[in-house]
Amino acid sequence: MKTEELKMVSEWDKTFPKSEKVDHKKITFVNRYGITLAADMYSPKNATGKLPAIAVSGPFGAVKEQCAGLYAQTMAERGYLTVAFDPSFTGESGGMPRYMASPDINTEDFMAAVDFLSVQDYVDADRIGIIGICGWGGMALNAAALDTRIKATVASTMYDMTRANANGYFDSEDSEEARFAKKLAMSNLRTEEYKTGVYSRAGGCVELPVPDDAPFFVKDYSEYYKGRCYHARSLNSNDGWNRIGCQSFLNQPILTYSNEIRSAVLIVHGEKAHSFYFGKDAYDAMIRDSKYTNNKELLVIPGAVHTDLYDNLDVIPFDKMADFFKQNM
């Protein structure tokens, strides 16, 4: 399949320091929609033979230079060949128009990463796992339900983006009327923007300092995206998604057959995260009426909030993750 020519930054522009324990290089691969994805590959220095491999993506609206890259580099320090990729329409990856999201295409992005890893001479194709963070935690579970090549999955501080879009935060907009109002607004916007040929952006995180009366999770996000891990290509750091970028999520629930996932799954969530209910409910649904519960686990991190699992090295259970992959791949 033809590879789209991408413009990728060659110098180190991550929001975390480069490890001296791993080698790093830029790579590309193509998904089944013909979109070329940009990725960072991290490999243990002086590694020999075929390595177990992990594909990483997320959070929703972030880029690989942020949280996903930190996860990928850290897991490479623990002996895994890893790739952290920008999803379609995002960051350095291809796809037009920009800043769109899709339950289908973004699930395919994970499976395309597995395609790539499966044919590399230095990868053990029977030992491939994935890590999805925040909104890509849901995508990772969806990929695990589809792709039998995925032997183990970690969903960290996950969102189910279909539920978030259809029902609002904490299911506060879970009604036909609320959903219709969203559909009506997006439908009208589509007409207006088609007339002009200009697509508007939804806005990124709130600028710092966040007002005192803002919900904690708003402050939590802004301190990460606008503060300590700002990145120029990150949607959440800047002008946000295309305003109709998540429209399809309103009517396309993912995780329908998550209780049929036979491979190993570890869901990691912070006890104090505003998003905790996504992870807990996803775990409960995954094991309900399932024949495959022995390799499923929900790990709750005491006192942790949502973005603690983005970049807090004292909180993210990397050793636990490494052991989980070792045992299940």
Side-chain angles (χ1 to χ4, degrees):
M1 191 175 293
K2 186 178 180 180
T3 302
E4 181 182 357
E5 187 172 339
L6 303 179
K7 294 181 179 179
M8 296 194 293
V9 175
S10 57
E11 65 269 14
W12 186 265
D13 65 344
K14 320 304 180 195
T15 59
F16 52 90
K18 189 177 189 305
S19 172
E20 298 302 318
K21 299 178 182 179
V22 305
D23 293 319
H24 163 266
K25 67 177 181 178
K26 288 286 188 76
I27 61 156
T28 61
F29 55 91
V30 183
N31 72 16
R32 285 299 182 103
Y33 290 93
I35 299 170
T36 300
L37 303 184
D40 288 297
M41 177 184 287
Y42 300 90
S43 56
K45 279 189 182 295
N46 304 317
T48 58
K50 291 182 178 292
L51 298 175
I54 302 170
V56 189
S57 196
F60 200 74
V63 287
K64 64 187 180 305
E65 289 74 21
Q66 296 170 309
C67 179
L70 174 64
Y71 271 63
Q73 179 175 261
T74 306
M75 295 306 291
E77 290 178 333
R78 285 157 171 76
Y80 296 88
L81 184 288
T82 64
V83 292
F85 64 89
D86 284 330
S88 297
F89 315 111
T90 305
E92 292 184 313
S93 286
M96 291 292 290
R98 304 301 291 166
Y99 317 123
M100 293 290 291
S102 161
D104 186 17
I105 296 174
N106 295 141
T107 300
E108 162 62 22
D109 290 341
F110 260 122
M111 294 193 290
V114 176
D115 292 343
F116 170 83
L117 291 171
S118 295
V119 300
Q120 303 308 308
D121 291 339
Y122 40 78
V123 169
D124 183 344
D126 292 323
R127 300 174 68 198
I128 295 176
I130 59 175
I131 299 174
I133 305 153
C134 186
W136 259 260
M139 302 300 177
L141 292 182
N142 207 39
L146 287 167
D147 195 330
T148 60
R149 300 170 300 172
I150 298 169
K151 298 303 189 292
T153 300
V154 170
S156 182
T157 196
M158 69 161 282
Y159 267 49
D160 175 347
M161 292 308 302
T162 51
R163 181 177 177 182
N165 279 277
N167 297 353
Y169 275 114
F170 314 113
D171 298 325
S172 61
E173 299 167 0
D174 184 12
S175 70
E176 178 189 348
E177 290 302 317
R179 278 185 286 276
F180 182 78
K182 294 177 187 179
K183 296 172 188 177
L184 181 63
M186 289 187 189
S187 297
N188 290 337
L189 178 63
R190 290 183 73 108
T191 302
E192 293 304 311
E193 293 194 338
Y194 195 84
K195 289 178 183 177
T196 64
V198 177
Y199 298 150
S200 56
R201 304 277 294 277
C205 289
V206 176
E207 296 289 343
L208 296 174
V210 176
D212 291 339
D213 59 351
F216 173 77
F217 71 89
V218 173
K219 180 174 182 286
D220 193 29
Y221 280 137
S222 290
E223 289 181 346
Y224 179 81
Y225 286 108
K226 295 289 192 180
R228 64 185 186 270
C229 286
Y230 172 85
H231 198 281
R233 289 191 296 274
S234 167
L235 280 69
N236 290 335
S237 294
N238 297 287
D239 295 326
W241 292 93
N242 185 314
R243 285 174 67 192
I244 59 92
C246 298
Q247 185 174 19
S248 66
F249 285 82
L250 280 166
N251 203 39
Q252 296 185 36
I254 56 176
L255 309 184
T256 301
Y257 299 108
S258 64
N259 66 343
E260 296 180 7
I261 298 174
R262 299 188 182 191
S263 57
V265 176
L266 171 65
I267 296 177
V268 183
H269 229 114
E271 175 195 19
K272 300 297 184 182
H274 70 278
S275 54
F276 178 71
Y277 70 103
F278 287 124
K280 181 181 183 302
D281 289 357
Y283 175 77
D284 290 342
M286 183 172 57
I287 64 171
R288 188 178 301 123
D289 300 322
S290 172
K291 296 182 290 185
Y292 314 104
T293 58
N294 289 342
N295 57 359
K296 307 298 187 293
E297 183 178 354
L298 172 64
L299 176 63
V300 180
I301 309 299
V305 299
H306 185 81
T307 67
D308 278 335
L309 288 169
Y310 283 10
D311 66 333
N312 189 334
L313 297 178
D314 294 327
V315 171
I316 304 171
F318 283 122
D319 289 339
K320 166 67 176 180
M321 292 180 192
D323 289 342
F324 167 78
F325 284 115
K326 182 178 180 179
Q327 292 169 13
N328 292 287
M329 293 200 316

